[in-house]
Amino acid sequence: MSFCRLGIILLAFDVFRVAFACVIGIALCCGLLCFIAILYAVSHQEGASDADLRILRRYRFKQTCGNGEKASTRAGSLIPIAPTNRDPANKRALLHEDAWFLPMVDALSIVPASVLRNLSDKLYEKRKNAAREIEGIVKQLAAVGDHRRIMAVINLLTTEFTYSPQAHQRKGGLIGLAAATVALATEAAKYLDLIIAPVLNSFSDQDSRVRYYACEALYNIAKVVRGDFIVFFNQIFDALCKLSADSDANVQSAAHLLDRLVKDIVAESDQFSIEEFIPLLRERMNVLNPFVRQFLVGWITVLDSVPDIDMLGFLPDLLDGLFNMLSDSSHEIRQQADSALSEFLQEIKNSPSVDYGRMAEILVKRTASPDEFTKLMAITWINEFVKLGGDQLVPYYADILGAILPCISHMEDKIRVVAHEANQGLRAIKGDPAEGFHIESILSIAKRQLSSEWDDTRIEALHWLATLLDRHRAEVLSFLDDIFNTLLGALLDPSDEVVLLALDVYACIARDASHFRHIVVFLVHNFRINHSLLEKRGALIIRRFCVLLDAERVYRELSTVLEAEDDLEFASVMVQALNLILVTSTELFELRLLLKQSLVNADGKDLFVSLYSSWCHSSVAVLSLCLLAQAYQHANSIVHSLVEEEKNVRLFIQLDKLIHLLETPVFAYLRLQLLEPGNYIWLLKSLYGLLMLLPQQSAAFKILRTRLKTVPSFGGEQRKRMVSGNPLSQVLQYTQIGIRSVDHDNKNQDAGNVYNGINFASMLQLFEHMQNRHRMHSRPQRQFNNSLSSFSQGA
């Protein structure tokens, strides 16, 4: 029984579920049909019927414009149109924030809803057809001159479409604006303010297709208005500049088409203002994007080709950017920039007036570029400027020189050749300080380049110093101390050519007597404090000075300075160096010839006496001087005085050098005189005296002994005189070949030895006095060395 009840209950539940499901299904079907009907009704709704519209009250909108103001969307008044409503009390005010709605309402009554719907369709064909419809509507309005309604349509397309959040609507708005412009034809210029702005705004749209249609729209608009849109050129150029680097290839392609059209329009327009455009172009020249760079170079080339546009006058604003492109990683950009610069350079050559100054400043900076192509182009331009600019470059002389000198030593041959040519041209320009020629700046550049690591640059810097001294001597000498210190470093230069040129500059300064002494004192001082200068370059410096200046004058001045030298050790070393140069240098041949005539010629005597006082710092140097002057009797006295000197290594080294010098061609006359021993007894005694001082195992001893063995033996009375050891006094007879001796009163060597006004006795006293000073000076040092040696041995 219970099972029967349970079965009936379950069956009832099943019937209920089935019935409930049927009811729900029927309800859903009915609801879906109603929803479809509503959607269909909404989709086919075209607005209120004519009967509905006739019921509404109609108003006329009147704008409140000031005097001379252009009508636009602003506050105004709504005035009833019905004939019974003429009471001013019925007039209604319309606020500014609500005024925008009226034109849109007016446009909605003009453009069918189906057209507006198709204009925002996702299919391009529908949007295109809708644009044609709008073109027809606007063309009709333009035919009747309905300016208000045309503006209403444009405002509708702008506000409801181009600024819409929906991409398809934005595309439709752009196509619609282009169609409206085509319809307006010659009247389109009046509405460009309303049309161009939303199109330009679409260039920065996030959707690439919208950007593409913006290019297409502006292209169609530009074809219609042509030159009338030049007033918007800067905004259009800025937008195209950005689109040229767009990430979408289709947008880039569309932008290039538009760019070509804009270039054509600008080229044929007489309203284009290059003055207003250049600041924007100059700002964009610093962009690194390769597509933008190509875009910019293209515009520069086009504008330069327009006859009515003088791009050369604005070249200083663009030059730096063009040179910056020469180092671009893209070969095509480098080639385009090079082509543009070459064209400009050709125009500069043919132009009578060019602003060289501003461009020179840019070129100077570009010569420091690490890119060789940029550097070559910059130095090439500078070379041409030097040829063409001439005096106009005088204020920029120093900067240009500072750019040229480093390039002279560049590793690239082309750069080096052009830099040399530019340097020669620049040096040919004679600048006048009254015209802005800054001597101090040029000197500063030349001095700075003397520290260059490259020989050619240092050499040219010295050439510039010499040129400035030649042209502006007084002004340059006002910076004498700085020049001395600068040239001093050049004297230690590893390049002999640099040293010789530095000495040329010194010699140029030394033309004045006061400066001559100054230079000699300066050199001696630096020889004293820098022994390496004397060792490495001393001979070259002295010899070059003797060539450039009078050798006798140089040696006399050096002797005067060294005679008063307090540093006796340095004075001795310096005199030895001067004596070696005097004996060996071919440049001092005339000076040696004059010294040989010291006992027969007044000039020779003065020179001998002048040198003798300082040569006393070195006993061997004095001996060499006496042998050179053929004062053999005094030489013999000097040899005997050497007995008093300490026999150290230094002395023997000097004697060794002297013996070797006696074998050189310079002393050939002395060796020939040994063939007449009877006539040159004092010479023979001097040489034998030297032989007795030398160690027997030394090379110098063997050389001198071998030489003396070749001397012919004495005969008769002459042998007796030599053996007796009591030489006869000499009475000198002067001949062209030298000094010949005859017997006279028997006297002790230099006692009363006076020839040609030379008092050898007093000179011998001077020599002994100077040698005593040296011995006194060296005694403390010897004592110190001896004590140090004793201490070492005791330890």
Side-chain angles (χ1 to χ4, degrees):
M1 190 69 178
S2 58
F3 284 107
C4 292
R5 291 178 180 176
L6 181 59
I8 293 172
I9 292 171
L10 292 174
L11 182 60
F13 273 114
D14 289 339
V15 172
F16 177 76
R17 282 199 303 270
V18 172
F20 182 75
C22 291
V23 171
I24 293 301
I26 293 171
L28 287 175
C29 291
C30 294
L32 182 61
L33 291 174
C34 292
F35 182 70
I36 292 173
I38 293 172
L39 288 178
Y40 180 79
V42 171
S43 64
H44 286 76
Q45 180 65 34
E46 296 183 0
S49 64
D50 291 339
D52 295 333
L53 293 175
R54 281 195 293 272
I55 297 173
L56 299 175
R57 299 184 64 180
R58 294 191 297 168
Y59 292 87
R60 175 169 54 84
F61 175 68
K62 182 179 181 181
Q63 291 181 334
T64 55
C65 298
N67 294 331
E69 291 185 2
K70 184 179 179 181
S72 61
T73 304
R74 61 175 72 247
S77 301
L78 291 175
I79 303 174
I81 298 177
T84 57
N85 294 332
R86 295 181 181 178
D87 186 1
N90 293 329
K91 184 186 296 185
R92 297 185 181 182
L94 186 65
L95 299 179
H96 175 75
E97 55 267 23
D98 300 325
W100 65 270
F101 184 70
L102 281 178
M104 189 178 72
V105 172
D106 202 6
L108 289 173
S109 66
I110 299 170
V111 182
S114 59
V115 173
L116 297 178
R117 185 169 58 253
N118 288 336
L119 195 63
S120 60
D121 198 276
K122 65 179 180 178
L123 297 178
Y124 172 74
E125 288 299 327
K126 288 188 177 181
R127 294 196 301 271
K128 185 176 179 181
N129 292 332
R132 289 174 180 169
E133 299 257 350
I134 291 176
E135 180 181 348
I137 294 171
V138 174
K139 190 175 293 185
Q140 293 176 2
L141 295 175
V144 298
D146 195 340
H147 171 71
R148 183 178 61 82
R149 293 196 176 193
I150 292 173
M151 287 188 62
V153 173
I154 294 174
N155 284 330
L156 175 65
L157 293 173
T158 300
T159 57
E160 294 300 311
F161 286 86
T162 59
Y163 292 115
S164 171
Q166 299 296 324
H168 295 309
Q169 285 186 317
R170 296 197 297 274
K171 297 173 190 176
L174 292 168
I175 298 175
L177 287 174
T181 306
V182 173
L184 290 170
T186 57
E187 298 293 321
K190 300 177 182 179
Y191 307 93
L192 281 181
D193 287 340
L194 298 175
I195 295 173
I196 294 294
V199 177
L200 293 179
N201 181 69
S202 299
F203 279 161
S204 58
D205 198 282
Q206 294 181 352
D207 192 321
S208 62
R209 296 304 297 171
V210 174
R211 298 195 300 273
Y212 175 85
Y213 283 113
C215 292
E216 183 184 74
L218 189 58
Y219 182 89
N220 293 325
I221 293 170
K223 283 201 302 184
V224 173
V225 298
R226 302 297 290 185
D228 290 328
F229 92 139
I230 289 295
V231 293
F232 305 98
F233 175 76
N234 278 14
Q235 298 96 303
I236 294 172
F237 177 86
D238 191 42
L240 284 174
C241 186
K242 297 173 182 177
L243 288 180
S244 64
D246 199 278
S247 57
D248 189 275
N250 291 327
V251 176
Q252 281 192 18
S253 178
H256 291 162
L257 289 174
L258 175 60
D259 179 55
R260 285 200 289 270
L261 176 61
V262 175
K263 286 176 180 174
D264 292 340
I265 294 172
V266 169
E268 68 187 22
S269 174
D270 57 355
Q271 301 178 11
F272 177 71
S273 175
I274 186 66
E275 291 82 5
E276 295 179 3
F277 171 59
I278 287 298
L280 176 61
L281 182 58
R282 180 177 61 242
E283 180 183 348
R284 292 290 178 269
M285 291 296 288
N286 295 322
V287 177
L288 300 179
N289 187 283
F291 297 106
V292 175
R293 284 185 164 182
Q294 283 183 311
F295 172 79
L296 295 173
V297 175
W299 266 101
I300 292 173
T301 305
V302 168
L303 293 176
D304 187 47
S305 65
V306 178
D308 296 334
I309 298 178
D310 181 22
M311 283 296 287
L312 199 58
F314 301 97
L315 182 57
D317 296 302
L318 311 175
L319 190 62
D320 190 58
L322 286 172
F323 267 92
N324 198 29
M325 295 179 188
L326 291 175
S327 59
D328 196 277
S329 58
S330 171
H331 174 72
E332 185 176 358
I333 294 175
R334 292 198 305 272
Q335 191 173 25
Q336 289 178 354
D338 177 39
S339 177
L341 286 170
S342 299
E343 184 65 29
F344 275 124
L345 186 57
Q346 188 60 41
E347 292 178 21
I348 290 173
K349 294 178 181 179
N350 300 328
S351 178
S353 65
V354 178
D355 184 3
Y356 292 101
R358 287 180 59 195
M359 289 189 285
E361 294 177 352
I362 297 170
L363 296 174
V364 166
K365 295 178 182 177
R366 287 298 168 184
T367 56
S369 172
D371 181 69
E372 289 188 358
F373 185 54
T374 303
K375 188 187 291 287
L376 175 60
M377 183 64 70
I379 201 68
T380 301
W381 273 61
I382 287 178
N383 185 32
E384 294 298 331
F385 277 23
V386 169
K387 295 177 182 177
L388 301 171
D391 295 338
Q392 294 185 44
L393 296 175
V394 169
Y396 307 94
Y397 216 102
D399 294 335
I400 294 175
L401 179 62
I404 290 175
L405 289 180
C407 293
I408 288 176
S409 302
H410 199 274
M411 297 176 62
E412 180 63 37
D413 289 341
K414 294 181 180 178
I415 296 176
R416 217 167 37 243
V417 170
V418 177
H420 269 291
E421 184 179 348
N423 182 58
Q424 295 298 329
L426 190 65
R427 197 157 58 221
I429 302 174
K430 297 182 179 180
D432 187 352
E435 298 176 356
F437 181 73
H438 302 291
I439 295 176
E440 185 177 3
S441 300
I442 301 293
L443 281 175
S444 178
I445 293 294
K447 289 189 295 183
R448 185 168 68 245
Q449 293 302 327
L450 278 176
S451 60
S452 170
E453 60 179 318
W454 305 107
D455 292 353
D456 290 343
T457 297
R458 298 196 300 275
I459 289 170
E460 290 304 322
L462 287 168
H463 279 308
W464 271 100
L465 286 176
T467 301
L468 291 174
L469 272 170
D470 182 57
R471 296 177 184 173
H472 309 280
R473 184 176 183 82
E475 293 85 348
V476 173
L477 290 180
S478 62
F479 305 99
L480 193 59
D481 291 337
D482 290 341
I483 296 175
F484 276 176
N485 294 328
T486 301
L487 293 176
L488 179 61
L491 294 180
L492 284 170
D493 198 278
S495 169
D496 287 346
E497 187 175 359
V498 173
V499 176
L500 292 175
L501 283 172
L503 293 173
D504 288 349
V505 177
Y506 271 127
C508 185
I509 298 172
R511 292 173 187 171
D512 301 333
S514 60
H515 294 139
F516 176 78
R517 171 141 183 105
H518 188 180
I519 288 176
V520 172
V521 172
F522 177 79
L523 284 176
V524 171
H525 170 73
N526 284 282
F527 284 147
R528 183 194 310 114
I529 63 177
N530 189 355
H531 291 290
S532 62
L533 178 62
L534 179 60
E535 294 172 2
K536 296 178 180 178
R537 294 299 185 187
L540 179 61
I541 292 171
I542 301 301
R543 290 168 57 190
R544 187 63 178 173
F545 266 3
C546 290
V547 172
L548 298 174
L549 305 170
D550 183 52
E552 181 181 354
R553 184 185 178 197
V554 171
Y555 262 75
R556 283 178 180 270
E557 194 64 44
L558 285 169
S559 178
T560 302
V561 174
L562 291 172
E563 184 180 359
E565 178 61 47
D566 294 329
D567 189 343
L568 298 180
E569 185 174 354
F570 162 72
S572 177
V573 173
M574 186 71 188
V575 165
Q576 293 170 31
L578 290 174
N579 182 71
L580 184 63
I581 296 169
L582 174 63
V583 173
T584 59
S585 298
T586 56
E587 296 88 348
L588 274 68
F589 172 78
E590 297 293 335
L591 196 63
R592 290 195 297 270
L593 193 62
L594 185 60
L595 281 172
K596 289 178 184 178
Q597 301 175 7
S598 298
L599 302 183
V600 297
N601 183 286
D603 293 336
K605 178 204 72 172
D606 291 341
L607 177 60
F608 178 78
V609 172
S610 175
L611 297 182
Y612 188 92
S613 57
S614 61
W615 256 239
C616 289
H617 284 292
S618 172
S619 55
V620 178
V622 168
L623 178 58
S624 174
L625 182 65
C626 292
L627 294 176
L628 195 61
Q630 303 188 76
Y632 299 135
Q633 184 176 351
H634 189 67
N636 185 56
S637 301
I638 298 298
V639 172
H640 282 79
S641 69
L642 294 179
V643 177
E644 304 297 329
E645 288 196 31
E646 180 185 1
K647 307 303 183 292
N648 52 29
V649 176
R650 182 181 299 179
L651 175 62
F652 288 125
I653 290 176
Q654 294 179 37
L655 289 174
D656 182 86
K657 290 181 179 178
L658 177 59
I659 299 303
H660 281 83
L661 286 173
L662 293 177
E663 296 297 318
T664 62
V666 174
F667 285 101
Y669 69 93
L670 183 147
R671 298 194 297 272
L672 289 175
Q673 289 171 352
L674 292 176
L675 296 175
E676 304 177 49
N679 294 329
Y680 298 98
I681 297 174
W682 294 113
L683 170 60
L684 198 58
K685 285 182 66 66
S686 299
L687 296 179
Y688 270 108
L690 285 175
L691 186 64
M692 295 302 107
L693 292 175
L694 292 170
Q696 294 187 29
Q697 300 304 319
S698 64
F701 177 87
K702 296 176 182 178
I703 292 173
L704 184 56
R705 184 180 62 178
T706 302
R707 174 60 64 185
L708 291 175
K709 283 181 179 181
T710 62
V711 176
S713 60
F714 289 102
E717 189 65 26
Q718 291 178 343
R719 182 183 298 275
K720 293 179 181 179
R721 293 170 184 168
M722 286 299 296
V723 173
S724 67
N726 185 18
L728 301 176
S729 300
Q730 306 294 313
V731 177
L732 303 178
Q733 297 178 346
Y734 309 114
T735 65
Q736 293 181 351
I737 61 171
I739 306 169
R740 305 180 65 86
S741 59
V742 296
D743 293 342
H744 194 54
D745 297 330
N746 245 349
K747 294 187 179 178
N748 292 325
Q749 296 191 359
D750 269 348
N753 186 6
V754 178
Y755 303 125
N756 194 26
I758 303 176
N759 190 340
F760 285 104
S762 62
M763 296 183 75
L764 183 60
Q765 292 177 359
L766 176 62
F767 170 73
E768 291 174 347
H769 172 71
M770 184 64 74
Q771 289 301 307
N772 285 331
R773 285 184 59 192
H774 277 269
R775 282 191 287 270
M776 295 295 293
H777 174 75
S778 60
R779 183 175 299 169
Q781 182 65 33
R782 288 200 305 271
Q783 292 175 351
F784 174 77
N785 292 337
N786 292 334
S787 61
L788 185 62
S789 176
S790 300
F791 176 79
S792 301
Q793 292 176 1

